[in-house]
Amino acid sequence: MLNVSNVTKRYADKVAVDSVSFGVQKGRIFGLLGPNGAGKTSTIRMIAFITTPDEGEIRLDDRPVGSWSQQTMGYLPEERGLYRKMKVGDQLQYLARLKGLSAAEATAAVRHWLDRFDASDWYDKKVEELSKGMQQKVQFIATVAHEPTLLIFDEPFSGLDPINADLLRDVILELKEAGRTILFASHRMEQVEQLCDDICLISDGRSLVQGSLREVKSAYGRNVLRMEYDGTPNFLDRMQGSGKISVISRTEHRAELRLLDGTLSRSILQQAMDELDAIYRFELVEPSLNEIFISVVSTTGQGSKQPQGSRTGSAA
Amino acid sequence: MNTLAVIAQREYVQRVTSKGFIIGTLVGPIVMIAIIVVPVLFLVAFQDQSSKTIAVIDESGALYEELEFPIDFDLVASEAPVDTLRSHVLGGKINGYLILPETLLRGEGGAAFYSGGGGGFILSTQVQQAVNRAVRQRRVLMTGADKTVLDILHHDVGVDMIKISDEGDQADSAAALAGIGYGMGFVIYVCMFIYGAFVMRGVIEEKTNRIAELMASSARPFDLMLGKVLGIGAMGLTQFLTWCILGMTIMAFGGTVAALFVDPNDYGLGQVDNQQALLDAAGITIPQLPFSAFVLFVLFFVGGYLLYASLFAAVGSAVDQESDAQQFVLPIAAPIIIPMLLISHVIENPDSSISLWLSMVPFFSPILMTVRIAATSVPFWQTVLSLLLLGGAFLGSIWISSRIYRVGILMYGKKPSFADIARWIRQG
């Protein structure tokens, strides 16, 4: 549905997005993940046709994005903002009309969504009279009221109170059920991990890893081991010393380790049974996205696991 | 309805329905009138009512009774020594003393007026006129001429100024029209700043409210900017036309008002119904501008607004808060202020070639062409050329401004330099 191909964006003194490509399929939730300053917002702004790429192309339903595509998108920017002096109803109606709805359609849509959020009585209130949490709800409605087919959320959970965060999660899943396509950008990987179908990890303007969440995780294998036990696991020190494992975290009765280069979990279990008094837990788990990200950044530094297009020599 | 119209409509409706607008529109003229009327009332209330005492040493013995001074002068014939009078002046007993030597009657020498100073220009003019008149009168009588000669001497001939134009001859009230032209130029000057600042503040508000990015994801920056300029322009025009209607109502009843202050008996007309006849007799004409001049005034007003408002929008987009805008406002304010400095030249010489070419320069024409239209009959081609140049300048300025705007509205934090802005324009 959405295709970003070899997109590059340069600002005065730096390359914000460096030849990034990815595709978002209809009806799925796509996560564009990476630390602050990785180029997520720059990428999203080009998709939303707020800025244009210096190189490469962005297509929505096989047409280059433009003013037409703005009307089929809903965008929740990281910087939230509304007209403070305007009434909630007027404001939402105005924003929906800018997205191509007629006055009557816009009014109906705004009423519907205010009802959905138990906020019908806000219609005639000015935005500045609302609490911050209420303003956040108004902001969601502005993003979804015109029934966009593609929804773009930049750091959707930042600044939300827990109640609104849950509400937003529900709404996002509901929108997915209804067949909408959703694109996230976030640096809080653990927060959006469960929501995403597909991901693209980016850092320093480059795409490092991408694919469905399943694929990415299985590519990194079940190579994280969690143990809970009583006793003294001297073997862990020996194995780490010989480069068979690396310890992610370790406390008195608990350890989390990564298996390196074909180390079999069986051999560890064997030694554990020999040396420990009791074993309560021995589990091979998938690495979290955060761990994958850190390991990709640290091991590749240059380039990525799945190289995307050509690279023109710019500093990483 | 297209995006541009939706944006302009919001700007217009939000503003016109605000309390500030309604109050401003109704109170504005009252404040304007107060600015004009209060100083006049102030002058009247504190006018120097005390009469001035002037001692006259009439050495000719024939001039004193001929002296005619306004009623707030007390003349005293005196034969006291000059030193005494001098000390009276210094002591504040009299305002001054006038010495009329005998030689005046032979057309030789001159009179002298001694005062403590500070009487001002009016006082010296009054003394001079009174002495001249008295000497002239006395000398004519001394030749044995009869009274008709005196009448001839004191009769002032009025010269009627008639302006010839295609619409027929009419009284040329050049001075009054120049005044109206100045007034209209001044209105445009003030409005450029007021409405331009509205646009600038509107853009800054969208940045500080952080809604600019959401807007940019819904509409083209060009539409956002032009919509705002048009919406606020429509608000300005609403306000302006309201004031015009109020003003024209006052003009229409202006004759009636002026007639209230004119007593028909002074002109030997008795009780008359016809105000026009009364005003004609009193020599008062309320100057009327042709309707076409009014239309052109509105066109130049709108053109000037569009030109400057788009530049103000660009400035607003480049800064985060109003206090940062000063350095960028200056280059825009200068071309608005310059014509105000040139306006008196244009009023005095509306047909000079300098006035002609100044009124063609797009940044100056809204003010200077309006002044010329009021003050003289401007050839049609000049008006059209001036308007076309203004329109062309507007297209250029909105093109440049929209390039600044699209980058500026997403920029936070660092205040850009002129060099940064030049780069935004180049890169688009």
Side-chain angles (χ1 to χ4, degrees), chain B residues 8 27 39 41-43 47 59-60 89 115 206 224 226 231 238 293 344 369 372 380 388 395 412 418 422:
Chain B
V27 173
L41 290 178
F42 193 79
L43 279 182
Q47 205 172 32
E59 292 167 357
S60 71
V89 171
S115 72
E206 282 180 5
L224 289 173
L226 190 59
T238 306
S344 58
M369 190 52 110
R372 288 188 64 216
F380 185 65
L388 285 177
L395 292 180
Y412 287 102
F418 282 106

Side-chain angles (χ1 to χ4, degrees), chain B residues 189 193 308 312 328-341 363-364:
Chain B
Y189 167 79
F193 275 115
Y308 283 108
F312 273 108
F328 298 115
V329 167
L330 192 65
I332 304 177
I336 312 183
I337 294 168
I338 290 169
M340 292 312 284
L341 305 176
F363 288 94
F364 302 162

Side-chain angles (χ1 to χ4, degrees), chain A residues 4-7 18-22 206-207 210 303-304 306-312:
Chain A
V4 175
S5 41
N6 295 316
V7 163
D18 187 359
S19 196
V20 165
S21 301
F22 59 83
R206 298 189 191 177
S207 149
Q210 57 179 276
S304 71
Q306 298 170 358
Q308 303 298 318
S310 61
R311 287 260 145 66
T312 43

Side-chain angles (χ1 to χ4, degrees), chain B residues 102-400:
Chain B
E102 203 188 348
T103 54
L104 287 177
L105 292 179
R106 298 195 301 273
E108 290 165 16
F113 178 64
Y114 297 82
S115 72
F121 179 67
I122 302 275
L123 178 64
S124 69
T125 318
Q126 282 166 333
V127 171
Q128 205 148 4
Q129 272 176 358
V131 173
N132 264 320
R133 192 184 159 97
V135 171
R136 213 172 276 154
Q137 178 131 343
R138 175 50 56 187
R139 290 185 62 203
V140 169
L141 289 175
M142 278 162 62
T143 62
D146 81 61
K147 200 170 170 302
T148 43
V149 178
L150 272 181
D151 287 345
I152 293 166
L153 205 58
H154 293 309
H155 181 74
D156 289 326
V157 179
V159 179
D160 290 339
M161 298 289 163
I162 315 292
K163 184 175 171 183
I164 301 170
S165 71
D166 294 340
E167 291 113 53
D169 299 355
Q170 50 184 246
D172 182 7
S173 28
L177 288 177
I180 290 178
Y182 185 86
M184 298 201 309
F186 191 74
V187 165
I188 290 183
Y189 167 79
V190 171
C191 288
M192 295 300 102
F193 275 115
I194 293 180
Y195 299 134
F198 265 110
V199 172
M200 188 177 81
R201 238 176 277 132
V203 174
I204 293 174
E205 192 196 346
E206 282 180 5
K207 282 187 79 176
T208 50
N209 282 352
R210 308 273 160 169
I211 198 173
E213 189 170 359
L214 183 60
M215 299 306 296
S217 77
S218 303
R220 292 186 303 160
F222 183 82
D223 287 341
L224 289 173
M225 189 180 86
L226 190 59
K228 187 173 280 295
V229 167
L230 293 179
I232 293 175
M235 174 209 80
L237 210 53
T238 306
Q239 191 162 53
F240 180 68
L241 289 176
T242 311
W243 289 340
C244 280
I245 291 166
L246 285 174
M248 289 207 286
T249 316
I250 291 168
M251 288 265 256
F253 290 100
T256 318
V257 175
L260 292 177
F261 295 99
V262 178
D263 183 353
N265 293 320
D266 288 354
Y267 300 96
L269 290 170
Q271 242 6 76
V272 283
D273 299 325
N274 188 342
Q275 285 167 2
Q276 198 56 49
L278 181 59
L279 291 172
D280 285 350
I284 297 172
T285 44
I286 306 273
Q288 299 284 342
L289 273 183
F291 186 68
S292 63
F294 178 74
V295 171
L296 287 172
F297 176 40
V298 173
L299 282 177
F300 277 101
F301 177 85
V302 170
Y305 165 77
L306 289 175
L307 176 62
Y308 283 108
S310 56
L311 296 175
F312 273 108
V315 170
S317 72
V319 299
D320 290 354
Q321 51 197 2
E322 222 175 320
S323 55
D324 288 343
Q326 287 313 319
Q327 84 176 103
F328 298 115
V329 167
L330 192 65
I332 304 177
I336 312 183
I337 294 168
I338 290 169
M340 292 312 284
L341 305 176
L342 300 168
I343 202 166
S344 58
H345 172 85
V346 175
I347 284 180
E348 283 161 23
N349 315 286
D351 296 320
S352 76
S353 58
I354 294 175
S355 297
L356 165 59
W357 294 115
L358 284 175
S359 68
M360 291 293 155
V361 178
F363 288 94
F364 302 162
S365 60
I367 292 176
L368 296 184
M369 190 52 110
T370 307
V371 170
R372 288 188 64 216
I373 288 169
T376 185
S377 26
V378 178
F380 185 65
W381 70 267
Q382 291 182 9
T383 333
V384 171
L385 180 60
S386 178
L387 274 174
L388 285 177
L389 288 172
L390 183 59
F394 164 63
L395 292 180
S397 79
I398 196 145
W399 183 80
I400 288 174

